Short mmCIF file of all heavy atoms in Angstrom, two decimals:
data_model
loop_
_atom_site.label_atom_id
_atom_site.label_comp_id
_atom_site.label_asym_id
_atom_site.label_seq_id
_atom_site.Cartn_x
_atom_site.Cartn_y
_atom_site.Cartn_z
N MET A 1 200.78 5.89 120.80
CA MET A 1 200.85 7.33 120.89
C MET A 1 201.47 7.70 122.23
O MET A 1 201.06 7.20 123.27
CB MET A 1 199.45 7.92 120.72
CG MET A 1 199.38 9.39 120.98
SD MET A 1 197.78 10.09 120.58
CE MET A 1 198.15 10.66 118.94
N LYS A 2 202.43 8.56 122.20
CA LYS A 2 203.20 8.94 123.38
C LYS A 2 202.33 9.53 124.49
O LYS A 2 202.52 9.22 125.65
CB LYS A 2 204.29 9.94 122.95
CG LYS A 2 205.20 10.34 124.05
CD LYS A 2 206.29 9.35 124.22
CE LYS A 2 207.35 9.91 125.14
NZ LYS A 2 208.26 8.91 125.56
N GLU A 3 201.37 10.37 124.12
CA GLU A 3 200.51 11.00 125.13
C GLU A 3 199.72 9.95 125.91
O GLU A 3 199.58 10.04 127.13
CB GLU A 3 199.56 12.00 124.49
CG GLU A 3 200.24 13.22 123.91
CD GLU A 3 200.79 13.00 122.50
OE1 GLU A 3 200.61 11.89 121.95
OE2 GLU A 3 201.41 13.93 121.96
N LEU A 4 199.18 8.97 125.20
CA LEU A 4 198.44 7.89 125.87
C LEU A 4 199.35 7.11 126.79
O LEU A 4 198.98 6.79 127.92
CB LEU A 4 197.82 6.94 124.84
CG LEU A 4 196.56 7.39 124.15
CD1 LEU A 4 196.09 6.32 123.18
CD2 LEU A 4 195.47 7.71 125.14
N ASP A 5 200.53 6.78 126.30
CA ASP A 5 201.48 6.03 127.11
C ASP A 5 201.79 6.76 128.41
O ASP A 5 201.83 6.15 129.47
CB ASP A 5 202.78 5.78 126.35
CG ASP A 5 202.62 4.81 125.20
OD1 ASP A 5 201.58 4.12 125.14
OD2 ASP A 5 203.53 4.75 124.35
N LEU A 6 201.98 8.06 128.33
CA LEU A 6 202.29 8.84 129.52
C LEU A 6 201.15 8.80 130.54
O LEU A 6 201.39 8.62 131.74
CB LEU A 6 202.61 10.29 129.16
CG LEU A 6 203.91 10.50 128.39
CD1 LEU A 6 204.04 11.95 127.96
CD2 LEU A 6 205.11 10.08 129.21
N LEU A 7 199.92 8.95 130.07
CA LEU A 7 198.78 8.90 130.98
C LEU A 7 198.64 7.52 131.62
O LEU A 7 198.41 7.41 132.83
CB LEU A 7 197.48 9.25 130.24
CG LEU A 7 197.29 10.69 129.83
CD1 LEU A 7 196.08 10.83 128.92
CD2 LEU A 7 197.16 11.59 131.04
N LEU A 8 198.77 6.48 130.82
CA LEU A 8 198.58 5.13 131.33
C LEU A 8 199.71 4.70 132.26
O LEU A 8 199.46 4.11 133.32
CB LEU A 8 198.43 4.14 130.16
CG LEU A 8 197.21 4.40 129.27
CD1 LEU A 8 197.26 3.49 128.05
CD2 LEU A 8 195.91 4.23 130.02
N VAL A 9 200.93 5.03 131.91
CA VAL A 9 202.07 4.68 132.77
C VAL A 9 202.01 5.45 134.08
O VAL A 9 202.28 4.89 135.14
CB VAL A 9 203.40 4.91 132.03
CG1 VAL A 9 204.58 4.85 132.97
CG2 VAL A 9 203.56 3.90 130.90
N ARG A 10 201.63 6.72 134.01
CA ARG A 10 201.52 7.51 135.25
C ARG A 10 200.47 6.89 136.18
O ARG A 10 200.70 6.75 137.37
CB ARG A 10 201.14 8.95 134.93
CG ARG A 10 201.04 9.82 136.20
CD ARG A 10 200.69 11.24 135.88
NE ARG A 10 199.35 11.28 135.30
CZ ARG A 10 198.82 12.37 134.78
NH1 ARG A 10 199.49 13.49 134.70
NH2 ARG A 10 197.58 12.33 134.31
N TYR A 11 199.34 6.48 135.61
CA TYR A 11 198.31 5.84 136.42
C TYR A 11 198.85 4.56 137.05
O TYR A 11 198.65 4.31 138.24
CB TYR A 11 197.07 5.54 135.56
CG TYR A 11 195.96 4.87 136.33
CD1 TYR A 11 195.04 5.63 137.04
CD2 TYR A 11 195.83 3.49 136.37
CE1 TYR A 11 194.02 5.03 137.76
CE2 TYR A 11 194.81 2.88 137.08
CZ TYR A 11 193.91 3.65 137.78
OH TYR A 11 192.91 3.05 138.50
N LEU A 12 199.51 3.74 136.26
CA LEU A 12 200.06 2.49 136.79
C LEU A 12 201.08 2.74 137.88
O LEU A 12 201.09 2.06 138.91
CB LEU A 12 200.69 1.66 135.66
CG LEU A 12 199.70 0.99 134.73
CD1 LEU A 12 200.44 0.38 133.54
CD2 LEU A 12 198.88 -0.06 135.46
N ARG A 13 201.93 3.69 137.68
CA ARG A 13 202.98 3.99 138.66
C ARG A 13 202.41 4.59 139.94
O ARG A 13 202.78 4.18 141.04
CB ARG A 13 204.00 4.94 138.03
CG ARG A 13 205.19 5.23 138.92
CD ARG A 13 206.21 6.17 138.28
NE ARG A 13 205.59 7.44 137.92
CZ ARG A 13 205.48 7.89 136.67
NH1 ARG A 13 205.94 7.19 135.66
NH2 ARG A 13 204.91 9.06 136.43
N GLU A 14 201.48 5.52 139.81
CA GLU A 14 201.01 6.28 140.97
C GLU A 14 199.73 5.74 141.60
O GLU A 14 199.50 5.96 142.78
CB GLU A 14 200.81 7.74 140.58
CG GLU A 14 202.11 8.40 140.16
CD GLU A 14 201.92 9.82 139.66
OE1 GLU A 14 200.81 10.37 139.79
OE2 GLU A 14 202.91 10.38 139.15
N CYS A 15 198.89 5.06 140.83
CA CYS A 15 197.57 4.69 141.32
C CYS A 15 197.34 3.19 141.45
O CYS A 15 196.58 2.75 142.31
CB CYS A 15 196.49 5.29 140.42
SG CYS A 15 196.59 7.07 140.30
N TRP A 16 197.95 2.42 140.58
CA TRP A 16 197.72 0.98 140.56
C TRP A 16 197.94 0.32 141.91
O TRP A 16 197.12 -0.50 142.34
CB TRP A 16 198.58 0.33 139.48
CG TRP A 16 198.34 -1.12 139.29
CD1 TRP A 16 199.09 -2.13 139.83
CD2 TRP A 16 197.30 -1.75 138.55
NE1 TRP A 16 198.58 -3.35 139.45
CE2 TRP A 16 197.49 -3.15 138.66
CE3 TRP A 16 196.24 -1.28 137.78
CZ2 TRP A 16 196.64 -4.06 138.04
CZ3 TRP A 16 195.42 -2.19 137.17
CH2 TRP A 16 195.61 -3.56 137.30
N PRO A 17 199.02 0.64 142.63
CA PRO A 17 199.26 -0.05 143.91
C PRO A 17 198.12 0.11 144.92
O PRO A 17 197.86 -0.80 145.70
CB PRO A 17 200.55 0.59 144.43
CG PRO A 17 201.24 1.07 143.19
CD PRO A 17 200.13 1.54 142.28
N ALA A 18 197.43 1.24 144.90
CA ALA A 18 196.36 1.49 145.86
C ALA A 18 194.97 1.15 145.31
O ALA A 18 193.98 1.25 146.03
CB ALA A 18 196.39 2.95 146.29
N ALA A 19 194.90 0.75 144.05
CA ALA A 19 193.61 0.48 143.42
C ALA A 19 192.97 -0.78 144.00
O ALA A 19 193.66 -1.74 144.33
CB ALA A 19 193.77 0.34 141.91
N THR A 20 191.65 -0.76 144.09
CA THR A 20 190.91 -1.94 144.53
C THR A 20 190.88 -2.96 143.39
O THR A 20 191.21 -2.64 142.24
CB THR A 20 189.47 -1.57 144.90
OG1 THR A 20 188.79 -1.14 143.70
CG2 THR A 20 189.42 -0.47 145.96
N ALA A 21 190.45 -4.16 143.71
CA ALA A 21 190.32 -5.20 142.68
C ALA A 21 189.35 -4.76 141.59
O ALA A 21 189.60 -4.98 140.40
CB ALA A 21 189.87 -6.51 143.31
N ALA A 22 188.27 -4.11 141.97
CA ALA A 22 187.29 -3.64 140.98
C ALA A 22 187.89 -2.56 140.08
O ALA A 22 187.66 -2.54 138.87
CB ALA A 22 186.04 -3.12 141.67
N GLN A 23 188.67 -1.65 140.66
CA GLN A 23 189.32 -0.60 139.88
C GLN A 23 190.35 -1.20 138.92
O GLN A 23 190.45 -0.77 137.77
CB GLN A 23 190.00 0.41 140.79
CG GLN A 23 189.03 1.28 141.55
CD GLN A 23 189.70 2.07 142.65
OE1 GLN A 23 190.61 1.59 143.33
NE2 GLN A 23 189.24 3.30 142.85
N ARG A 24 191.07 -2.20 139.39
CA ARG A 24 192.05 -2.85 138.52
C ARG A 24 191.37 -3.55 137.36
O ARG A 24 191.83 -3.48 136.23
CB ARG A 24 192.90 -3.83 139.32
CG ARG A 24 193.87 -3.14 140.24
CD ARG A 24 194.69 -4.12 141.03
NE ARG A 24 195.64 -3.40 141.85
CZ ARG A 24 196.78 -3.90 142.27
NH1 ARG A 24 197.12 -5.14 141.95
NH2 ARG A 24 197.60 -3.18 143.01
N GLN A 25 190.25 -4.23 137.63
CA GLN A 25 189.53 -4.91 136.56
C GLN A 25 188.97 -3.92 135.55
O GLN A 25 189.04 -4.14 134.34
CB GLN A 25 188.40 -5.77 137.14
CG GLN A 25 187.68 -6.60 136.09
CD GLN A 25 188.63 -7.57 135.38
OE1 GLN A 25 189.26 -8.38 136.03
NE2 GLN A 25 188.72 -7.48 134.06
N LEU A 26 188.45 -2.81 136.03
CA LEU A 26 187.92 -1.78 135.14
C LEU A 26 189.04 -1.24 134.24
O LEU A 26 188.85 -1.05 133.04
CB LEU A 26 187.27 -0.65 135.95
CG LEU A 26 186.61 0.45 135.15
CD1 LEU A 26 185.47 -0.08 134.29
CD2 LEU A 26 186.12 1.54 136.08
N PHE A 27 190.21 -1.02 134.82
CA PHE A 27 191.35 -0.53 134.05
C PHE A 27 191.75 -1.56 132.98
O PHE A 27 191.98 -1.20 131.83
CB PHE A 27 192.53 -0.23 134.97
CG PHE A 27 193.75 0.27 134.25
CD1 PHE A 27 193.80 1.55 133.75
CD2 PHE A 27 194.84 -0.55 134.08
CE1 PHE A 27 194.93 2.02 133.08
CE2 PHE A 27 195.98 -0.10 133.42
CZ PHE A 27 196.01 1.19 132.92
N GLU A 28 191.80 -2.82 133.37
CA GLU A 28 192.15 -3.87 132.41
C GLU A 28 191.11 -3.94 131.29
O GLU A 28 191.48 -4.09 130.11
CB GLU A 28 192.29 -5.21 133.12
CG GLU A 28 193.51 -5.27 134.02
CD GLU A 28 193.58 -6.53 134.86
OE1 GLU A 28 192.81 -7.48 134.61
OE2 GLU A 28 194.41 -6.56 135.78
N ASP A 29 189.85 -3.82 131.64
CA ASP A 29 188.78 -3.81 130.62
C ASP A 29 188.92 -2.59 129.70
O ASP A 29 188.72 -2.69 128.49
CB ASP A 29 187.40 -3.81 131.27
CG ASP A 29 187.10 -5.11 132.01
OD1 ASP A 29 187.80 -6.12 131.79
OD2 ASP A 29 186.15 -5.10 132.82
N PHE A 30 189.27 -1.46 130.29
CA PHE A 30 189.47 -0.23 129.52
C PHE A 30 190.56 -0.42 128.47
O PHE A 30 190.43 0.02 127.33
CB PHE A 30 189.82 0.92 130.47
CG PHE A 30 190.05 2.23 129.80
CD1 PHE A 30 188.99 2.98 129.32
CD2 PHE A 30 191.33 2.74 129.66
CE1 PHE A 30 189.20 4.21 128.71
CE2 PHE A 30 191.55 3.96 129.04
CZ PHE A 30 190.48 4.69 128.57
N LEU A 31 191.63 -1.11 128.86
CA LEU A 31 192.75 -1.32 127.93
C LEU A 31 192.37 -2.23 126.77
O LEU A 31 193.07 -2.24 125.75
CB LEU A 31 193.96 -1.90 128.67
CG LEU A 31 194.62 -0.97 129.68
CD1 LEU A 31 195.79 -1.68 130.34
CD2 LEU A 31 195.08 0.33 129.03
N GLU A 32 191.28 -2.97 126.90
CA GLU A 32 190.81 -3.83 125.82
C GLU A 32 190.06 -3.06 124.73
O GLU A 32 189.81 -3.58 123.65
CB GLU A 32 189.91 -4.94 126.37
CG GLU A 32 190.62 -5.93 127.27
CD GLU A 32 191.70 -6.73 126.54
OE1 GLU A 32 191.47 -7.10 125.37
OE2 GLU A 32 192.76 -6.94 127.13
N LEU A 33 189.71 -1.81 125.02
CA LEU A 33 189.03 -0.98 124.02
C LEU A 33 189.99 -0.70 122.87
O LEU A 33 191.21 -0.68 123.05
CB LEU A 33 188.59 0.34 124.64
CG LEU A 33 187.52 0.28 125.73
CD1 LEU A 33 187.34 1.65 126.36
CD2 LEU A 33 186.21 -0.24 125.16
N PRO A 34 189.46 -0.45 121.68
CA PRO A 34 190.33 -0.09 120.55
C PRO A 34 191.09 1.21 120.86
O PRO A 34 190.56 2.13 121.50
CB PRO A 34 189.36 0.12 119.40
CG PRO A 34 188.08 -0.54 119.82
CD PRO A 34 188.05 -0.52 121.31
N ASP A 35 192.32 1.28 120.39
CA ASP A 35 193.14 2.46 120.66
C ASP A 35 192.46 3.78 120.27
O ASP A 35 192.55 4.75 121.03
CB ASP A 35 194.50 2.35 119.95
CG ASP A 35 195.41 1.34 120.62
OD1 ASP A 35 195.10 0.90 121.76
OD2 ASP A 35 196.44 0.98 120.02
N PRO A 36 191.78 3.85 119.13
CA PRO A 36 191.11 5.12 118.80
C PRO A 36 190.04 5.51 119.83
O PRO A 36 189.84 6.70 120.10
CB PRO A 36 190.48 4.85 117.43
CG PRO A 36 191.31 3.76 116.84
CD PRO A 36 191.70 2.90 118.01
N GLN A 37 189.38 4.52 120.44
CA GLN A 37 188.38 4.84 121.47
C GLN A 37 189.05 5.33 122.74
O GLN A 37 188.58 6.28 123.38
CB GLN A 37 187.51 3.62 121.77
CG GLN A 37 186.37 3.92 122.71
CD GLN A 37 185.40 4.94 122.13
OE1 GLN A 37 184.86 4.71 121.06
NE2 GLN A 37 185.18 6.03 122.82
N ILE A 38 190.14 4.70 123.13
CA ILE A 38 190.90 5.15 124.30
C ILE A 38 191.37 6.59 124.07
O ILE A 38 191.25 7.44 124.96
CB ILE A 38 192.08 4.21 124.59
CG1 ILE A 38 191.54 2.84 125.05
CG2 ILE A 38 193.00 4.80 125.65
CD1 ILE A 38 192.61 1.77 125.22
N LEU A 39 191.89 6.86 122.90
CA LEU A 39 192.34 8.20 122.56
C LEU A 39 191.18 9.20 122.64
O LEU A 39 191.34 10.29 123.19
CB LEU A 39 192.94 8.21 121.16
CG LEU A 39 193.48 9.53 120.65
CD1 LEU A 39 194.65 9.99 121.50
CD2 LEU A 39 193.89 9.40 119.20
N ALA A 40 190.02 8.82 122.13
CA ALA A 40 188.85 9.70 122.17
C ALA A 40 188.47 10.03 123.60
O ALA A 40 188.14 11.18 123.92
CB ALA A 40 187.68 9.06 121.43
N TYR A 41 188.51 9.05 124.47
CA TYR A 41 188.16 9.28 125.87
C TYR A 41 189.20 10.14 126.58
O TYR A 41 188.86 11.09 127.29
CB TYR A 41 188.03 7.97 126.63
CG TYR A 41 186.76 7.20 126.37
CD1 TYR A 41 186.78 5.81 126.25
CD2 TYR A 41 185.53 7.82 126.26
CE1 TYR A 41 185.63 5.08 126.03
CE2 TYR A 41 184.36 7.10 126.03
CZ TYR A 41 184.42 5.73 125.92
OH TYR A 41 183.27 5.01 125.71
N LEU A 42 190.47 9.82 126.42
CA LEU A 42 191.51 10.47 127.21
C LEU A 42 192.01 11.79 126.66
O LEU A 42 192.41 12.66 127.43
CB LEU A 42 192.70 9.51 127.39
CG LEU A 42 192.41 8.25 128.19
CD1 LEU A 42 193.68 7.41 128.31
CD2 LEU A 42 191.86 8.58 129.57
N VAL A 43 191.98 11.94 125.36
CA VAL A 43 192.56 13.14 124.77
C VAL A 43 191.50 14.04 124.15
O VAL A 43 191.54 15.26 124.32
CB VAL A 43 193.64 12.77 123.73
CG1 VAL A 43 194.22 14.01 123.08
CG2 VAL A 43 194.75 11.95 124.39
N ALA A 44 190.54 13.46 123.46
CA ALA A 44 189.54 14.27 122.75
C ALA A 44 188.36 14.67 123.63
O ALA A 44 187.51 15.43 123.20
CB ALA A 44 189.04 13.51 121.51
N GLY A 45 188.29 14.13 124.84
CA GLY A 45 187.23 14.53 125.75
C GLY A 45 185.90 13.85 125.54
O GLY A 45 184.88 14.30 126.07
N GLU A 46 185.88 12.76 124.78
CA GLU A 46 184.63 12.02 124.61
C GLU A 46 184.20 11.45 125.96
O GLU A 46 185.03 11.07 126.78
CB GLU A 46 184.83 10.89 123.60
CG GLU A 46 183.55 10.21 123.20
CD GLU A 46 183.75 9.24 122.06
OE1 GLU A 46 184.34 9.63 121.04
OE2 GLU A 46 183.29 8.09 122.20
N THR A 47 182.90 11.39 126.20
CA THR A 47 182.39 10.87 127.46
C THR A 47 181.61 9.58 127.22
O THR A 47 181.29 9.24 126.09
CB THR A 47 181.48 11.90 128.16
OG1 THR A 47 180.38 12.19 127.30
CG2 THR A 47 182.24 13.17 128.49
N THR A 48 181.29 8.91 128.31
CA THR A 48 180.52 7.68 128.27
C THR A 48 179.38 7.78 129.26
O THR A 48 179.44 8.57 130.20
CB THR A 48 181.41 6.46 128.60
OG1 THR A 48 180.61 5.29 128.63
CG2 THR A 48 182.12 6.62 129.93
N THR A 49 178.35 6.98 129.06
CA THR A 49 177.22 6.98 129.99
C THR A 49 177.47 6.04 131.17
O THR A 49 176.69 6.03 132.11
CB THR A 49 175.93 6.55 129.27
OG1 THR A 49 176.12 5.26 128.69
CG2 THR A 49 175.56 7.55 128.18
N ASP A 50 178.55 5.27 131.13
CA ASP A 50 178.90 4.36 132.22
C ASP A 50 179.62 5.16 133.30
O ASP A 50 180.75 5.62 133.10
CB ASP A 50 179.80 3.24 131.69
CG ASP A 50 180.22 2.26 132.75
OD1 ASP A 50 180.22 2.59 133.95
OD2 ASP A 50 180.58 1.13 132.37
N PRO A 51 179.00 5.35 134.48
CA PRO A 51 179.62 6.19 135.51
C PRO A 51 180.96 5.66 136.01
O PRO A 51 181.87 6.44 136.30
CB PRO A 51 178.58 6.24 136.64
CG PRO A 51 177.48 5.33 136.26
CD PRO A 51 177.70 4.84 134.87
N ALA A 52 181.11 4.35 136.14
CA ALA A 52 182.37 3.79 136.61
C ALA A 52 183.48 4.05 135.59
O ALA A 52 184.60 4.43 135.96
CB ALA A 52 182.23 2.30 136.90
N LEU A 53 183.16 3.86 134.33
CA LEU A 53 184.14 4.11 133.29
C LEU A 53 184.48 5.59 133.20
O LEU A 53 185.64 5.97 133.06
CB LEU A 53 183.64 3.59 131.94
CG LEU A 53 184.59 3.76 130.76
CD1 LEU A 53 185.94 3.09 131.03
CD2 LEU A 53 183.95 3.19 129.50
N GLN A 54 183.48 6.44 133.33
CA GLN A 54 183.74 7.88 133.29
C GLN A 54 184.62 8.31 134.46
O GLN A 54 185.51 9.16 134.30
CB GLN A 54 182.43 8.68 133.29
CG GLN A 54 182.62 10.14 132.95
CD GLN A 54 183.22 10.36 131.57
OE1 GLN A 54 182.82 9.75 130.60
NE2 GLN A 54 184.19 11.23 131.49
N ALA A 55 184.42 7.71 135.63
CA ALA A 55 185.28 8.02 136.79
C ALA A 55 186.71 7.57 136.52
O ALA A 55 187.66 8.29 136.85
CB ALA A 55 184.73 7.35 138.04
N LEU A 56 186.88 6.40 135.92
CA LEU A 56 188.22 5.93 135.58
C LEU A 56 188.88 6.87 134.60
O LEU A 56 190.06 7.22 134.75
CB LEU A 56 188.17 4.52 135.00
CG LEU A 56 189.51 4.00 134.46
CD1 LEU A 56 190.53 3.83 135.58
CD2 LEU A 56 189.32 2.71 133.69
N ILE A 57 188.15 7.31 133.59
CA ILE A 57 188.71 8.23 132.60
C ILE A 57 189.18 9.51 133.29
O ILE A 57 190.29 10.00 133.03
CB ILE A 57 187.67 8.53 131.51
CG1 ILE A 57 187.43 7.27 130.67
CG2 ILE A 57 188.11 9.70 130.63
CD1 ILE A 57 186.19 7.32 129.80
N ALA A 58 188.39 10.04 134.19
CA ALA A 58 188.78 11.24 134.93
C ALA A 58 190.03 10.98 135.76
O ALA A 58 190.93 11.81 135.83
CB ALA A 58 187.63 11.72 135.82
N ASP A 59 190.07 9.80 136.39
CA ASP A 59 191.25 9.45 137.19
C ASP A 59 192.49 9.31 136.31
O ASP A 59 193.58 9.76 136.69
CB ASP A 59 191.00 8.15 137.95
CG ASP A 59 189.96 8.30 139.04
OD1 ASP A 59 189.66 9.44 139.43
OD2 ASP A 59 189.45 7.26 139.50
N LEU A 60 192.35 8.69 135.16
CA LEU A 60 193.48 8.55 134.25
C LEU A 60 193.99 9.91 133.80
O LEU A 60 195.19 10.16 133.74
CB LEU A 60 193.10 7.70 133.04
CG LEU A 60 192.95 6.21 133.30
CD1 LEU A 60 192.24 5.55 132.13
CD2 LEU A 60 194.30 5.58 133.53
N GLN A 61 193.07 10.80 133.51
CA GLN A 61 193.46 12.13 133.06
C GLN A 61 194.15 12.91 134.17
O GLN A 61 195.06 13.69 133.92
CB GLN A 61 192.25 12.90 132.55
CG GLN A 61 191.71 12.33 131.27
CD GLN A 61 190.37 12.90 130.88
OE1 GLN A 61 189.54 13.20 131.72
NE2 GLN A 61 190.16 13.05 129.58
N ALA A 62 193.75 12.68 135.40
CA ALA A 62 194.32 13.40 136.54
C ALA A 62 195.45 12.65 137.22
O ALA A 62 196.13 13.20 138.07
CB ALA A 62 193.22 13.69 137.55
N GLY A 63 195.62 11.37 136.86
CA GLY A 63 196.67 10.59 137.49
C GLY A 63 196.39 10.25 138.93
O GLY A 63 197.27 10.24 139.78
N ARG A 64 195.14 9.93 139.22
CA ARG A 64 194.77 9.60 140.61
C ARG A 64 193.83 8.41 140.61
O ARG A 64 193.32 8.01 139.57
CB ARG A 64 194.11 10.79 141.29
CG ARG A 64 192.76 11.14 140.69
CD ARG A 64 192.07 12.25 141.48
NE ARG A 64 190.75 12.44 140.95
CZ ARG A 64 190.40 13.28 139.98
NH1 ARG A 64 191.32 14.05 139.44
NH2 ARG A 64 189.17 13.41 139.57
N THR A 65 193.59 7.88 141.79
CA THR A 65 192.62 6.81 141.95
C THR A 65 191.63 7.22 143.03
O THR A 65 191.95 7.99 143.93
CB THR A 65 193.30 5.47 142.31
OG1 THR A 65 192.33 4.44 142.25
CG2 THR A 65 193.94 5.48 143.66
N ARG A 66 190.45 6.70 142.95
CA ARG A 66 189.42 7.00 143.95
C ARG A 66 189.49 5.99 145.07
O ARG A 66 189.82 4.84 144.84
CB ARG A 66 188.04 6.96 143.29
CG ARG A 66 187.88 8.02 142.24
CD ARG A 66 186.52 7.96 141.58
NE ARG A 66 186.50 8.83 140.43
CZ ARG A 66 186.24 10.12 140.49
NH1 ARG A 66 185.97 10.68 141.63
NH2 ARG A 66 186.25 10.87 139.41
N PRO A 67 189.16 6.43 146.27
CA PRO A 67 189.17 5.48 147.41
C PRO A 67 188.10 4.43 147.25
O PRO A 67 187.14 4.59 146.60
CB PRO A 67 188.90 6.37 148.62
CG PRO A 67 188.44 7.69 148.12
CD PRO A 67 188.79 7.76 146.66
#
């Protein structure tokens, strides 16, 4: 899906270089989720009880990384 690609590529281009090892691992783990779940998180606004994952989702949506 084009919208997902745009969000993920923007994160990789703008945030990946400054991401910590833990942030990179979380992102890689996130990409292992089924595409419909990724879509639900990033586009449909579904939330998770995992605070680290929820922070990553917010960062992906905003195109930023946390220090």
Side-chain angles (χ1 to χ4, degrees):
M1 172 173 264
K2 184 84 169 167
E3 293 84 2
L4 281 181
D5 291 346
L6 292 174
L7 288 171
L8 297 173
V9 168
R10 181 179 65 187
Y11 180 85
L12 286 172
R13 184 180 58 243
E14 297 176 8
C15 302
W16 185 262
T20 66
Q23 289 168 323
R24 288 180 178 206
Q25 185 60 57
L26 184 61
F27 180 74
E28 291 173 12
D29 293 345
F30 180 76
L31 293 180
E32 294 296 321
L33 295 172
D35 287 347
Q37 186 62 57
I38 293 174
L39 181 64
Y41 284 141
L42 295 181
V43 178
E46 189 172 310
T47 60
T48 177
T49 58
D50 180 337
L53 182 57
Q54 192 60 46
L56 173 65
I57 292 165
D59 291 343
L60 286 166
Q61 291 169 325
R64 66 175 186 270
T65 189
R66 296 179 190 275

